[in-house]
Amino acid sequence: MKKFLINLIRFAIVPLLIVIIWTFVYISIDPFKVIWHYDRYVENNAKAYIVLNQDYVSTKTFDNNYKKYLYNSFIFGNSRSIFYQISDWKSHIGQKNSGFHFDASGEALYALHKKILYIDSKKANIDNVLLVLDNELLKKDKPNNGPLFEISPQLENNDNFLSFHFTYFKAFTSPSFFIPVIYFKLTNNVPPFMKGALDYRQRSVDPITNELQFEIFEKMIDDGKFYTKEKLNLFYERGAVQVYSQPAIFSLQKSMLKDINNVFLKHHTNYKIIISPLYDQVKLNQNDLQYLKKLFGEKNVFDYSGINNYTRDYTNFYETSHYRPHVSRKILDEIYNKE
């Protein structure tokens, strides 16, 4: 028995030491910024970025600042919502309002619903809201999974705390991730053969409003250097006949949307719901659209999906998924000037 225990310890000690050292390195580096406190999560115009979970960044930034800046105006949606700029919005809702981008990559209606309930639970005012929606967001009635998409534990009453952190610890064990990340942390450079592990798009993020901007893209467009032959190849031909998306709103979605509407009624919120103009020109399912109009009021729902002047012109898009800030600005002008 004694010999067995000695052998067991001998074989277990090395793996155990590796796990302890690995855990220490992971916690020390905190590559996904999910362990320590950060006043700001993204440095402006850095050489490269470890891609973070925007759901967590938005939620932590809100937690850090809402008592200080008294946010009362919120923009919700997936990454397409980030180009609705706070400064443009304030010209319609009033300069004294305090705006915040509460977006997430690949946002799900499930998480958006949780965010609105979370703000309400913090007793923050919700005076103005932009809901930037599309079929993809509406159909997601469960939380997303994966390092870029996990829902923040705060939004789930910390019920997913362990699984949330295990996701990131597990992701750090991938050699295709930890080798370039550690190299980047130590040298501020990345091995050329591993550049896919990081994001090189220069950006700026306002640590108060959580607003992301890609000024470099707009400068390249102004200089005629953005729409290269490679970029233009992304913009595929589309049909002339209007196509409609499959239904996205079912019983779970209706329940969440009703909760959101009840919060808006409670706060007497001035809200607008925008269905994004997308390059694919697929129009939102008409039953879904009618449900949104019936629940939130026809005057508050604006459908820009499908074939229209915004979606015909590829120069309104950075690529086939995201439209540019000048499009968002025109949409804001249109929907608020209709009042």
Side-chain angles (χ1 to χ4, degrees), residues 107-173:
E107 181 66 301
L109 179 61
Y110 178 93
L112 190 157
H113 162 253
K114 293 283 185 179
K115 290 179 176 72
I116 291 174
L117 297 184
Y118 185 70
I119 296 170
D120 182 48
S121 73
K122 296 295 181 182
K123 303 190 183 307
N125 291 326
I126 308 177
D127 294 332
N128 301 284
V129 163
L130 279 185
L131 286 183
V132 183
L133 308 178
D134 52 49
N135 173 269
E136 186 180 346
L137 184 154
L138 284 168
K139 68 184 180 184
K140 294 177 181 174
D141 60 8
K142 295 180 178 57
N144 292 321
N145 298 119
L148 299 183
F149 309 110
E150 292 286 325
I151 188 169
S152 306
Q154 307 96 299
L155 302 180
E156 296 277 53
N157 296 318
N158 286 310
D159 291 341
N160 64 335
F161 182 85
L162 291 178
S163 63
F164 177 86
H165 285 283
F166 180 72
T167 296
Y168 293 97
F169 183 76
K170 182 181 176 183
F172 189 60
T173 62

Coordinates of all heavy atoms in Angstrom, one line a residue, residues 107-173:
E107 N -24.7 39.5 -30.4 CA -25.7 39.6 -29.4 C -27.0 38.7 -29.6 O -27.5 38.6 -30.7 CB -26.2 41.1 -29.2 CG -27.2 41.3 -28.2 CD -26.7 41.1 -26.7 OE1 -26.2 40.0 -26.5 OE2 -26.7 42.1 -25.9
A108 N -27.4 38.1 -28.5 CA -28.7 37.3 -28.5 C -29.8 38.1 -27.8 O -29.5 38.8 -26.9 CB -28.4 36.0 -27.8
L109 N -31.0 37.9 -28.3 CA -32.1 38.5 -27.6 C -32.1 38.1 -26.1 O -32.5 38.9 -25.3 CB -33.5 38.1 -28.3 CG -34.7 38.7 -27.6 CD1 -34.7 40.2 -27.7 CD2 -36.0 38.1 -28.3
Y110 N -31.7 36.9 -25.9 CA -31.7 36.4 -24.5 C -30.8 37.3 -23.6 O -31.2 37.7 -22.5 CB -31.1 35.0 -24.5 CG -30.9 34.4 -23.1 CD1 -31.9 33.6 -22.5 CD2 -29.8 34.6 -22.3 CE1 -31.8 33.1 -21.3 CE2 -29.6 34.1 -21.1 CZ -30.6 33.3 -20.5 OH -30.5 32.8 -19.3
A111 N -29.6 37.7 -24.1 CA -28.7 38.5 -23.3 C -29.1 40.0 -23.3 O -29.0 40.7 -22.3 CB -27.3 38.4 -23.9
L112 N -29.7 40.4 -24.4 CA -30.2 41.8 -24.5 C -31.3 42.0 -23.4 O -31.3 43.0 -22.7 CB -30.7 42.1 -25.9 CG -31.0 43.6 -26.3 CD1 -30.9 43.7 -27.8 CD2 -32.4 44.0 -25.8
H113 N -32.2 41.1 -23.4 CA -33.2 41.1 -22.4 C -32.7 41.1 -21.0 O -33.1 41.9 -20.1 CB -34.1 39.8 -22.6 CG -35.0 39.4 -21.5 ND1 -34.7 38.3 -20.7 CD2 -36.2 39.9 -21.1 CE1 -35.7 38.2 -19.8 NE2 -36.6 39.1 -20.0
K114 N -31.6 40.3 -20.7 CA -31.0 40.3 -19.4 C -30.4 41.6 -19.1 O -30.4 42.1 -17.9 CB -29.9 39.2 -19.3 CG -30.5 37.8 -19.4 CD -31.1 37.3 -18.1 CE -31.5 35.9 -18.1 NZ -32.1 35.4 -16.8
K115 N -29.8 42.3 -20.1 CA -29.1 43.6 -19.8 C -30.1 44.6 -19.4 O -29.9 45.4 -18.5 CB -28.4 44.0 -21.1 CG -27.2 43.2 -21.5 CD -26.5 43.7 -22.7 CE -25.2 43.0 -23.1 NZ -25.4 41.6 -23.5
I116 N -31.3 44.6 -20.1 CA -32.3 45.7 -19.7 C -32.8 45.4 -18.3 O -33.0 46.3 -17.5 CB -33.4 45.7 -20.8 CG1 -32.8 46.2 -22.1 CG2 -34.6 46.5 -20.3 CD1 -33.7 46.1 -23.3
L117 N -33.1 44.1 -18.0 CA -33.5 43.8 -16.6 C -32.5 44.2 -15.6 O -32.8 44.6 -14.5 CB -33.9 42.3 -16.5 CG -35.1 41.8 -17.4 CD1 -35.3 40.4 -17.1 CD2 -36.3 42.7 -17.2
Y118 N -31.2 44.0 -16.0 CA -30.1 44.2 -15.1 C -30.0 45.7 -14.7 O -29.8 46.1 -13.6 CB -28.8 43.8 -15.7 CG -27.6 43.9 -14.9 CD1 -27.4 43.1 -13.8 CD2 -26.6 44.8 -15.2 CE1 -26.2 43.1 -13.0 CE2 -25.4 44.9 -14.4 CZ -25.3 44.1 -13.3 OH -24.1 44.2 -12.5
I119 N -30.1 46.6 -15.8 CA -30.1 48.0 -15.6 C -31.2 48.4 -14.6 O -31.1 49.2 -13.7 CB -30.2 48.8 -16.9 CG1 -29.0 48.5 -17.8 CG2 -30.3 50.3 -16.7 CD1 -29.1 49.0 -19.2
D120 N -32.4 47.9 -14.9 CA -33.6 48.2 -14.1 C -33.3 47.7 -12.6 O -33.7 48.5 -11.7 CB -34.8 47.4 -14.6 CG -36.1 47.7 -13.8 OD1 -36.3 48.9 -13.6 OD2 -36.8 46.8 -13.5
S121 N -32.7 46.6 -12.4 CA -32.4 46.1 -11.1 C -31.4 47.0 -10.3 O -31.4 47.0 -9.1 CB -31.8 44.7 -11.1 OG -30.5 44.7 -11.6
K122 N -30.6 47.7 -11.1 CA -29.6 48.7 -10.5 C -30.3 50.0 -10.2 O -29.6 51.0 -9.7 CB -28.4 48.8 -11.4 CG -27.6 47.6 -11.6 CD -27.0 47.1 -10.3 CE -26.1 45.9 -10.5 NZ -25.5 45.3 -9.3
K123 N -31.6 50.1 -10.5 CA -32.3 51.4 -10.3 C -31.7 52.5 -11.0 O -31.8 53.7 -10.6 CB -32.4 51.7 -8.8 CG -33.1 50.5 -8.0 CD -33.4 50.9 -6.6 CE -33.9 49.8 -5.7 NZ -35.1 49.1 -6.4
A124 N -31.1 52.3 -12.2 CA -30.7 53.3 -13.0 C -31.9 53.8 -13.9 O -32.8 53.0 -14.2 CB -29.5 52.8 -13.9
N125 N -31.9 55.0 -14.3 CA -32.9 55.5 -15.2 C -32.7 55.0 -16.6 O -31.6 54.9 -17.1 CB -33.0 57.0 -15.2 CG -33.4 57.6 -13.8 OD1 -34.2 57.0 -13.2 ND2 -32.8 58.7 -13.5
I126 N -33.8 54.7 -17.2 CA -33.8 54.3 -18.7 C -34.7 55.2 -19.4 O -35.8 54.9 -19.7 CB -34.2 52.8 -18.8 CG1 -33.5 51.9 -17.9 CG2 -34.0 52.3 -20.3 CD1 -33.9 50.4 -17.9
D127 N -34.2 56.4 -19.7 CA -35.0 57.5 -20.3 C -35.1 57.3 -21.8 O -36.1 57.7 -22.5 CB -34.4 58.8 -19.9 CG -34.6 59.1 -18.5 OD1 -35.5 58.5 -17.8 OD2 -33.8 59.9 -17.9
N128 N -33.9 56.9 -22.4 CA -33.9 56.8 -23.9 C -33.2 55.5 -24.3 O -32.2 55.1 -23.7 CB -33.1 57.9 -24.5 CG -33.6 59.3 -24.1 OD1 -34.6 59.7 -24.7 ND2 -33.0 60.0 -23.2
V129 N -33.8 54.8 -25.3 CA -33.2 53.5 -25.8 C -33.2 53.5 -27.3 O -34.2 53.9 -27.9 CB -34.0 52.4 -25.2 CG1 -33.7 51.1 -25.9 CG2 -33.6 52.2 -23.7
L130 N -32.2 52.9 -27.9 CA -32.2 52.5 -29.2 C -32.0 51.0 -29.2 O -31.0 50.5 -28.6 CB -31.0 53.1 -30.0 CG -31.1 54.5 -30.6 CD1 -29.9 54.8 -31.4 CD2 -32.4 54.6 -31.4
L131 N -32.9 50.2 -29.8 CA -32.8 48.8 -29.9 C -32.4 48.5 -31.4 O -33.3 48.8 -32.3 CB -34.1 48.1 -29.6 CG -34.5 47.9 -28.1 CD1 -35.8 47.1 -28.0 CD2 -33.4 47.2 -27.3
V132 N -31.2 48.1 -31.7 CA -30.8 47.8 -33.1 C -30.9 46.3 -33.3 O -30.1 45.6 -32.8 CB -29.4 48.4 -33.3 CG1 -29.0 48.2 -34.8 CG2 -29.3 49.9 -32.9
L133 N -31.9 45.9 -34.0 CA -32.2 44.5 -34.1 C -32.0 43.9 -35.6 O -31.9 44.7 -36.5 CB -33.7 44.2 -33.7 CG -34.1 44.8 -32.3 CD1 -35.5 44.5 -32.1 CD2 -33.2 44.2 -31.2
D134 N -32.0 42.6 -35.7 CA -32.1 41.9 -37.0 C -32.6 40.5 -36.7 O -32.7 40.1 -35.5 CB -30.7 42.0 -37.7 CG -29.6 41.5 -36.8 OD1 -29.7 40.4 -36.2 OD2 -28.5 42.1 -36.8
N135 N -32.8 39.8 -37.8 CA -33.3 38.4 -37.6 C -32.4 37.6 -36.8 O -32.8 36.8 -35.9 CB -33.5 37.8 -39.0 CG -33.9 36.4 -39.0 OD1 -33.0 35.5 -39.0 ND2 -35.2 36.1 -38.9
E136 N -31.1 37.7 -37.0 CA -30.1 36.9 -36.3 C -30.2 37.1 -34.8 O -30.1 36.1 -34.1 CB -28.7 37.2 -36.9 CG -27.6 36.4 -36.3 CD -26.2 36.8 -36.9 OE1 -26.2 37.6 -37.9 OE2 -25.2 36.4 -36.4
L137 N -30.3 38.3 -34.4 CA -30.4 38.6 -32.9 C -31.7 38.1 -32.4 O -31.7 37.4 -31.3 CB -30.2 40.1 -32.7 CG -30.2 40.6 -31.3 CD1 -29.4 41.9 -31.3 CD2 -31.6 40.8 -30.7
L138 N -32.8 38.4 -33.1 CA -34.1 38.0 -32.6 C -34.3 36.5 -32.3 O -35.0 36.1 -31.4 CB -35.2 38.5 -33.5 CG -35.5 40.1 -33.5 CD1 -36.3 40.5 -34.6 CD2 -36.1 40.5 -32.1
K139 N -33.7 35.7 -33.2 CA -34.0 34.3 -33.1 C -33.2 33.6 -32.0 O -33.5 32.4 -31.6 CB -33.7 33.6 -34.4 CG -32.2 33.6 -34.8 CD -32.1 33.0 -36.2 CE -30.6 32.9 -36.7 NZ -30.5 32.4 -38.1
K140 N -32.2 34.3 -31.4 CA -31.4 33.7 -30.3 C -32.1 33.8 -29.0 O -32.1 34.8 -28.4 CB -30.0 34.3 -30.3 CG -29.2 34.1 -31.5 CD -27.9 34.8 -31.4 CE -27.0 34.6 -32.6 NZ -25.8 35.4 -32.6
D141 N -32.8 32.7 -28.5 CA -33.5 32.7 -27.3 C -32.7 32.1 -26.1 O -33.2 31.8 -25.1 CB -34.9 32.1 -27.4 CG -34.8 30.6 -27.9 OD1 -33.7 30.1 -27.9 OD2 -35.8 30.1 -28.2
K142 N -31.4 31.8 -26.4 CA -30.6 31.2 -25.4 C -29.2 31.9 -25.4 O -28.9 32.6 -26.4 CB -30.3 29.7 -25.7 CG -31.6 28.8 -25.6 CD -31.3 27.4 -25.9 CE -32.6 26.6 -25.7 NZ -33.7 27.0 -26.6
P143 N -28.5 31.8 -24.3 CA -27.2 32.5 -24.3 C -26.2 31.9 -25.3 O -26.2 30.7 -25.5 CB -26.7 32.3 -22.8 CG -27.4 31.1 -22.3 CD -28.8 31.1 -23.0
N144 N -25.3 32.8 -25.8 CA -24.3 32.3 -26.7 C -23.2 31.6 -25.9 O -23.0 31.8 -24.7 CB -23.7 33.5 -27.5 CG -24.6 34.1 -28.4 OD1 -25.4 33.4 -29.1 ND2 -24.7 35.4 -28.6
N145 N -22.4 30.8 -26.6 CA -21.3 30.1 -26.0 C -20.0 30.4 -26.7 O -20.0 30.8 -27.9 CB -21.5 28.6 -26.0 CG -22.7 28.2 -25.2 OD1 -23.7 27.6 -25.7 ND2 -22.7 28.6 -23.9
G146 N -18.9 30.3 -26.0 CA -17.5 30.5 -26.6 C -16.9 31.7 -26.0 O -17.6 32.6 -25.4
P147 N -15.6 31.8 -26.1 CA -14.8 32.9 -25.4 C -15.3 34.3 -25.8 O -15.2 35.2 -25.0 CB -13.4 32.6 -25.8 CG -13.3 31.2 -26.1 CD -14.7 30.8 -26.7
L148 N -15.7 34.5 -27.0 CA -16.1 35.8 -27.5 C -17.6 36.1 -27.1 O -18.0 37.3 -27.2 CB -15.9 35.9 -29.0 CG -14.5 35.7 -29.5 CD1 -14.5 36.0 -31.0 CD2 -13.6 36.7 -28.8
F149 N -18.3 35.2 -26.7 CA -19.8 35.4 -26.6 C -20.4 35.0 -25.3 O -21.6 35.2 -25.1 CB -20.5 34.5 -27.7 CG -19.9 34.7 -29.1 CD1 -19.1 33.7 -29.7 CD2 -20.0 36.0 -29.7 CE1 -18.6 33.9 -30.9 CE2 -19.5 36.2 -31.0 CZ -18.7 35.1 -31.6
E150 N -19.7 34.4 -24.3 CA -20.3 34.0 -23.1 C -21.0 35.2 -22.4 O -20.5 36.3 -22.3 CB -19.2 33.5 -22.1 CG -18.6 32.2 -22.6 CD -19.5 31.0 -22.4 OE1 -20.3 31.0 -21.4 OE2 -19.5 30.1 -23.2
I151 N -22.2 34.9 -21.9 CA -22.9 35.9 -21.2 C -22.3 36.2 -19.8 O -21.8 35.3 -19.2 CB -24.4 35.6 -21.0 CG1 -25.2 36.8 -20.5 CG2 -24.6 34.3 -20.1 CD1 -26.7 36.6 -20.5
S152 N -22.2 37.5 -19.4 CA -21.5 37.9 -18.2 C -22.2 37.3 -17.0 O -23.5 37.3 -16.9 CB -21.6 39.4 -18.1 OG -21.0 40.0 -19.2
P153 N -21.5 36.8 -16.0 CA -22.1 36.2 -14.8 C -23.0 37.1 -14.1 O -24.1 36.7 -13.6 CB -20.9 35.8 -14.0 CG -19.8 35.6 -14.9 CD -20.0 36.6 -16.0
Q154 N -22.7 38.4 -14.1 CA -23.6 39.4 -13.4 C -25.0 39.3 -13.9 O -26.0 39.5 -13.2 CB -23.1 40.8 -13.5 CG -21.7 41.1 -13.1 CD -20.8 41.0 -14.3 OE1 -20.7 40.0 -15.0 NE2 -20.1 42.1 -14.6
L155 N -25.1 39.1 -15.2 CA -26.5 39.1 -15.9 C -27.3 37.8 -15.6 O -28.5 37.8 -15.8 CB -26.3 39.3 -17.4 CG -25.6 40.5 -17.9 CD1 -25.5 40.5 -19.4 CD2 -26.2 41.8 -17.4
E156 N -26.5 36.8 -15.1 CA -27.2 35.5 -14.7 C -27.2 35.3 -13.3 O -27.2 34.1 -12.8 CB -26.4 34.4 -15.5 CG -26.5 34.4 -17.0 CD -27.8 33.8 -17.5 OE1 -28.9 34.3 -17.0 OE2 -27.8 33.0 -18.4
N157 N -27.1 36.3 -12.4 CA -27.0 36.2 -11.0 C -25.9 35.3 -10.6 O -26.0 34.6 -9.6 CB -28.3 35.6 -10.4 CG -29.5 36.6 -10.6 OD1 -29.3 37.8 -10.5 ND2 -30.6 36.1 -11.0
N158 N -24.8 35.3 -11.4 CA -23.6 34.5 -11.1 C -23.8 33.0 -11.2 O -23.0 32.2 -10.7 CB -22.9 34.9 -9.8 CG -22.3 36.3 -9.9 OD1 -21.5 36.5 -10.8 ND2 -22.6 37.2 -9.0
D159 N -25.0 32.6 -11.7 CA -25.2 31.1 -11.8 C -24.3 30.4 -12.7 O -24.0 29.2 -12.6 CB -26.7 30.9 -12.3 CG -27.7 31.3 -11.3 OD1 -27.4 31.4 -10.1 OD2 -28.9 31.5 -11.7
N160 N -23.7 31.2 -13.7 CA -22.8 30.6 -14.6 C -21.3 30.9 -14.3 O -20.5 30.9 -15.2 CB -23.1 31.0 -16.1 CG -23.0 32.5 -16.2 OD1 -23.0 33.3 -15.3 ND2 -22.7 33.0 -17.5
F161 N -21.0 31.4 -13.1 CA -19.7 31.9 -12.7 C -18.6 30.9 -13.1 O -17.6 31.2 -13.7 CB -19.7 32.3 -11.3 CG -18.4 32.8 -10.8 CD1 -18.1 34.2 -11.0 CD2 -17.4 32.0 -10.3 CE1 -16.9 34.7 -10.6 CE2 -16.2 32.6 -9.9 CZ -15.9 33.9 -10.0
L162 N -18.8 29.6 -12.6 CA -17.7 28.6 -12.8 C -17.6 28.3 -14.3 O -16.4 28.2 -14.8 CB -18.0 27.4 -12.0 CG -17.9 27.6 -10.5 CD1 -18.3 26.3 -9.8 CD2 -16.5 28.0 -10.1
S163 N -18.7 28.0 -15.0 CA -18.6 27.6 -16.4 C -18.0 28.8 -17.2 O -17.3 28.6 -18.2 CB -20.0 27.2 -16.9 OG -20.9 28.3 -16.9
F164 N -18.4 30.0 -16.8 CA -17.8 31.2 -17.5 C -16.3 31.2 -17.5 O -15.6 31.3 -18.5 CB -18.4 32.5 -16.9 CG -17.9 33.8 -17.5 CD1 -18.5 34.4 -18.6 CD2 -16.8 34.4 -16.9 CE1 -18.0 35.6 -19.1 CE2 -16.3 35.6 -17.4 CZ -17.0 36.2 -18.5
H165 N -15.8 31.1 -16.3 CA -14.3 31.2 -16.1 C -13.6 29.9 -16.6 O -12.5 30.0 -17.1 CB -14.0 31.4 -14.6 CG -14.2 32.9 -14.3 ND1 -13.4 33.9 -14.6 CD2 -15.3 33.4 -13.6 CE1 -13.9 35.0 -14.2 NE2 -15.0 34.8 -13.5
F166 N -14.3 28.8 -16.6 CA -13.7 27.6 -17.1 C -13.5 27.7 -18.7 O -12.5 27.3 -19.2 CB -14.5 26.4 -16.8 CG -13.9 25.1 -17.4 CD1 -12.8 24.5 -16.8 CD2 -14.5 24.5 -18.5 CE1 -12.2 23.4 -17.4 CE2 -14.0 23.3 -19.0 CZ -12.8 22.7 -18.5
T167 N -14.5 28.4 -19.3 CA -14.4 28.6 -20.8 C -13.1 29.3 -21.1 O -12.4 29.0 -22.1 CB -15.6 29.4 -21.2 OG1 -16.8 28.7 -21.0 CG2 -15.4 29.8 -22.7
Y168 N -12.7 30.4 -20.3 CA -11.5 31.1 -20.7 C -10.3 30.4 -20.3 O -9.3 30.5 -21.0 CB -11.6 32.5 -20.0 CG -12.7 33.3 -20.6 CD1 -14.0 33.4 -20.0 CD2 -12.6 33.9 -21.8 CE1 -15.0 34.0 -20.6 CE2 -13.6 34.6 -22.5 CZ -14.9 34.6 -21.8 OH -15.9 35.3 -22.5
F169 N -10.3 29.7 -19.2 CA -9.1 28.9 -18.8 C -8.8 27.9 -19.8 O -7.7 27.7 -20.2 CB -9.3 28.3 -17.4 CG -8.1 27.6 -16.9 CD1 -7.0 28.2 -16.4 CD2 -8.1 26.2 -17.0 CE1 -5.9 27.5 -16.0 CE2 -7.0 25.5 -16.5 CZ -5.9 26.1 -16.0
K170 N -9.9 27.2 -20.3 CA -9.7 26.2 -21.3 C -9.2 26.8 -22.6 O -8.3 26.2 -23.3 CB -11.1 25.5 -21.5 CG -11.0 24.4 -22.5 CD -12.4 23.8 -22.7 CE -12.4 22.7 -23.8 NZ -13.8 22.2 -24.0
A171 N -9.7 28.0 -23.0 CA -9.3 28.6 -24.2 C -7.8 28.9 -24.2 O -7.1 28.9 -25.2 CB -10.1 29.9 -24.5
F172 N -7.3 29.3 -23.0 CA -5.9 29.6 -22.8 C -5.0 28.4 -23.0 O -3.8 28.6 -23.1 CB -5.7 30.3 -21.4 CG -4.3 30.9 -21.2 CD1 -3.9 31.9 -22.0 CD2 -3.5 30.4 -20.2 CE1 -2.6 32.4 -21.9 CE2 -2.2 31.0 -20.0 CZ -1.8 32.0 -20.8
T173 N -5.5 27.2 -22.9 CA -4.7 26.0 -23.0 C -4.4 25.7 -24.5 O -3.5 24.8 -24.7 CB -5.3 24.8 -22.4 OG1 -6.5 24.5 -23.1 CG2 -5.6 25.0 -20.9

